[in-house]
């Protein structure tokens, strides 16, 4: 649940009269398989659908500048909630480095109201794969650790953004804060989601809650949009 976003965006939160026409939080976070876009830091983001923990789920791949697949984050929208279900991180050769599985408490309501804050507390179980080191071992081993995650997620409303030559008239804006981990405190992030695309922009906040412009990550070019 991380993120960070360049002077190509902005407008105000929709007036109350237009809220009904805007997508719900669940609709904002829906992913369209095959959408791919590049970002101002050189990385790319691709939406996929694949098996995770025995179930076909939508996910977002992060591909580093240079074409290396770093990670896939998974989600499941059902029963009026958006579940963040886990993630897989990869080595440079495409082998799995680690897998994180989140407990079902990692959900937020699909119909959050502007200004509504949700406390998300869940267990993150990470299984890491350790590959042989030349001359030291010939066995592949695994290790597992479990961490408690505690986040505050506030839905701030809808904003009009223009990124990569495309208008996003009603992107959902969230404020995320880690309130129970090592980085707990006032630091956090603003994250904007656009229907079908996923997270299209992120601003990092400092300990005083101020935006750090140098750390903004945003969509700059749409590569494919089925």
């Amino acid at each position: 649940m991380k993120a960070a976003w360049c002077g190509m965006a902005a407008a105000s939160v929709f007036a109350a009269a237009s809220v009904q026409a805007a997508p719900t939080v669940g609709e904002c976070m829906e992913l369209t398989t095959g959408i791919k876009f590049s970002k101002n830091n050189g990385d790319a983001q691709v939406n996929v659908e694949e098996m995770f923990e025995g179930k076909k789920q939508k996910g977002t791949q992060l591909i580093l500048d240079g074409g290396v697949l770093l990670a896939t984050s998974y989600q499941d929208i059902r029963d009026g909630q958006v579940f963040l279900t886990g993630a897989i991180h990869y080595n440079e050769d495409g082998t799995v480095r680690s897998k994180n599985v989140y407990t079902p408490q990692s959900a937020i309501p699909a119909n959050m109201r502007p200004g509504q804050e949700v406390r998300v507390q869940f267990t993150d179980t990470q299984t890491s794969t350790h590959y042989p080191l030349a001359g030291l071992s010939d066995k592949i081993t695994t290790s597992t650790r479990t961490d408690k995650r505690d986040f505050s997620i506030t839905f701030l409303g809808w904003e009009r953004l223009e990124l990569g030559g495309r208008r996003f008239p009603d992107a959902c804006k969230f404020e995320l804060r880690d309130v129970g981990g090592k980085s707990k405190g006032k630091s956090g992030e603003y994250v904007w989601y656009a229907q079908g695309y996923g997270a299209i922009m992120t601003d990092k906040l400092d300990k005083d809650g101020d935006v750090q412009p140098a750390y903004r990550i945003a969509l700059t070019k749409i590569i494919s949009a089925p």
Side-chain angles (χ1 to χ4, degrees), residues 19-152:
V19 166
Q20 290 185 345
T24 65
V25 163
E27 290 169 338
C28 259
M29 297 187 73
E30 287 178 350
L31 299 174
T32 298
T33 304
I35 283 183
K36 180 177 182 179
F37 58 86
S38 58
K39 299 184 281 189
N40 60 312
N41 62 354
D43 297 343
Q45 192 166 304
V46 187
N47 293 341
V48 297
E49 184 175 22
E50 54 192 30
M51 297 298 292
F52 180 73
E53 287 297 283
K55 181 179 180 181
K56 186 171 285 189
Q57 299 185 34
K58 295 292 183 69
T60 298
Q61 291 183 339
L62 178 60
I63 301 174
L64 298 179
D65 188 7
V68 175
L69 174 61
L70 175 67
T72 306
S73 300
Y74 297 93
Q75 66 179 46
D76 188 15
I77 302 176
R78 55 182 169 81
D79 303 327
Q81 297 189 86
V82 181
F83 295 85
L84 305 177
T85 55
I88 294 178
H89 288 79
Y90 306 92
N91 296 306
E92 286 190 15
D93 63 359
T95 55
V96 174
R97 176 163 57 88
S98 63
K99 179 171 74 171
N100 295 69
V101 179
Y102 309 145
T103 55
Q105 292 83 356
S106 62
I108 62 172
N111 60 346
M112 288 179 71
R113 303 178 306 277
Q116 181 179 353
E117 178 183 353
V118 174
R119 188 78 170 267
V120 180
Q121 298 170 300
F122 62 97
T123 300
D124 176 1
T125 300
Q126 181 185 81
T127 302
S128 299
T129 304
H130 308 282
Y131 293 88
L133 295 175
L136 297 178
S137 172
D138 59 357
K139 294 182 179 180
I140 297 176
T141 60
T142 60
S143 62
T144 301
R145 78 177 191 196
T146 300
D147 296 310
K148 298 293 185 180
R149 304 296 184 189
D150 193 347
F151 288 89
S152 168

Side-chain angles (χ1 to χ4, degrees), residues 199-213:
I200 57 171
M201 192 166 80
T202 311
D203 269 339
K204 191 170 184 61
L205 308 177
D206 63 18
K207 60 183 180 61
D208 297 317
D210 296 325
V211 173
Q212 301 182 67

